[in-house]
Amino acid sequence: MDPQQLRTLTAVVRLGSFSEAARELGYTQSAVSQQVAALEADLGTVLLERRPVRTTEAGERLLEHAGPLLLRLDAARADVRRLAAAPTARLLIGAAGASVTPRLAHALAEVRSAYPRLDLTIDQVARADITAQVATGALDLGLVDGVAAPSDPLALPDAGPLVTVAVAEEPLAVALPAAHPLARRPGLALADLADARWLDAPDVAMDLDRLRTVAGTDGFRAAARYRGGEVRGLLALVAAGHGLALLPATAAAGAADVAAVPLRSPRLVHRTELVHGSLPDGPAALLVRLLDGGRPDGLSVGPSAGRSAGFSPLAG
């Protein structure tokens, strides 16, 4: 199976048009049609109905494989290029939400001391995209965060030979309005909050699908959706009564008119990890060594330090 034909097929399906796919890929429309036809001949089945453009059952099944296959090819290319790359003074880190911790900030200061001309950029990236962007070389390093049992590593999607280093682990708290009837409780059980109104904020707080999974119950209805990346904006919505949110305790605390009640059950923590591929000597490699050789905020160096990325959806 030719990877380029597979990329062409995915572009046609995503754009819903042979001509739009040709424009995006820089081909003629006839070249796009020929590539799709060649892929169909190779597999011995029709993948697309042409007018209108839509996938057949076989085409749908192939697309389920296409994303992971193309990602692994891009990751392999990036991994080999990293090994051959010359040292650089650039450091591009992707982070979601409030995942830049004090420990990481201090480690970055040490890196800047070693590389005074360092061009450092920390970009806000959606949680779901960070691992793939590190694997394909779009990011030098990525900060992933999510919910896990104490000292357990996060589960990451299979995106190539990536490694993670534990950066921080801290308790979770339910953020709710200060006047809420539960605001004075010493702790809360997640299962008891299934019928409450929640804020769906996947880039800042624990996402609602994950809440249902860890609580082992349905519910956790989204009263409103917050697509911003700032915790402050989310807490303003909490304070105004738009819904609850589950956050790292330090992120939930200190906001006006918001109570941060510790999560007592199930026993979970918010964990932050740095994910990377093979690294030539330079700022990124130094940062990894600094983090891997120390004690993450609030926990001992545990099983995630230096581990390979796993094969299940990202905890969050």
Side-chain angles (χ1 to χ4, degrees), residues 2-313:
D2 186 332
Q4 188 53 56
Q5 294 172 356
L6 198 55
R7 291 185 195 280
T8 299
L9 175 72
T10 59
V12 171
V13 174
R14 174 168 50 82
L15 297 170
S17 164
F18 280 76
S19 60
E20 289 299 318
R23 186 174 295 110
E24 179 179 283
L25 297 171
Y27 297 147
T28 63
Q29 183 171 338
S30 62
V32 169
S33 298
Q34 290 170 10
Q35 287 192 37
V36 174
L39 184 58
E40 290 176 325
D42 180 26
L43 296 174
T45 187
V46 175
L47 301 172
L48 290 180
E49 295 178 7
R50 268 52 175 183
R51 295 182 181 176
V53 173
R54 60 185 179 186
T55 53
T56 63
E57 183 178 0
E60 283 291 333
R61 182 62 56 85
L62 180 59
L63 288 176
E64 291 176 9
H65 296 282
L69 285 170
L70 294 173
L71 174 59
R72 288 305 297 265
L73 285 171
D74 290 339
R77 182 181 294 108
D79 199 31
V80 173
R81 285 176 175 171
R82 278 192 294 262
L83 288 173
T88 176
R90 185 202 79 162
L91 182 54
L92 177 57
I93 302 174
S99 54
V100 177
T101 69
R103 177 170 178 262
L104 175 63
H106 288 302
L108 283 169
E110 292 190 51
V111 174
R112 292 183 70 90
S113 295
Y115 294 89
R117 296 175 179 263
L118 179 65
D119 180 9
L120 171 64
T121 302
I122 301 174
D123 270 350
Q124 180 77 26
V125 179
R127 276 194 181 106
D129 297 336
I130 289 177
T131 306
Q133 290 194 27
V134 173
T136 56
L139 295 170
D140 299 314
L141 302 168
L143 280 166
V144 292
D145 67 330
V147 173
S151 298
D152 277 1
L154 296 176
L156 300 177
D158 179 15
L162 300 180
V163 178
T164 63
V165 176
V167 175
E169 214 175 76
E170 67 171 301
L172 289 161
V174 180
L176 65 173
H180 195 283
L182 301 177
R184 297 185 181 276
R185 292 278 187 92
L188 292 170
L190 197 56
D192 294 338
L193 302 173
D195 294 330
R197 290 156 49 93
W198 287 85
L199 285 164
D200 181 19
D203 282 332
V204 184
M206 185 172 173
D207 72 68
L208 301 187
D209 284 339
R210 181 70 172 148
L211 281 177
R212 297 182 191 100
T213 299
V214 300
T217 184
D218 292 330
F220 301 101
R221 179 175 58 89
R225 292 168 180 82
Y226 178 67
R227 295 295 180 255
E230 292 185 351
V231 174
R232 182 172 57 182
L234 175 65
L235 292 178
L237 293 171
V238 171
H242 292 281
L244 312 185
L246 185 62
L247 295 163
T250 55
D257 301 321
V258 173
V261 182
L263 180 69
R264 299 299 189 201
S265 174
R267 190 164 174 259
L268 298 169
V269 295
H270 178 266
R271 186 177 177 93
T272 302
E273 297 177 351
L274 190 73
V275 59
H276 64 91
S278 56
L279 295 173
D281 190 33
L286 176 57
L287 181 61
V288 169
R289 289 197 299 271
L290 290 169
L291 293 172
D292 200 13
R295 183 180 297 273
D297 299 341
L299 84 161
S300 302
V301 175
S304 79
R307 71 179 172 87
S308 296
F311 300 96
S312 55

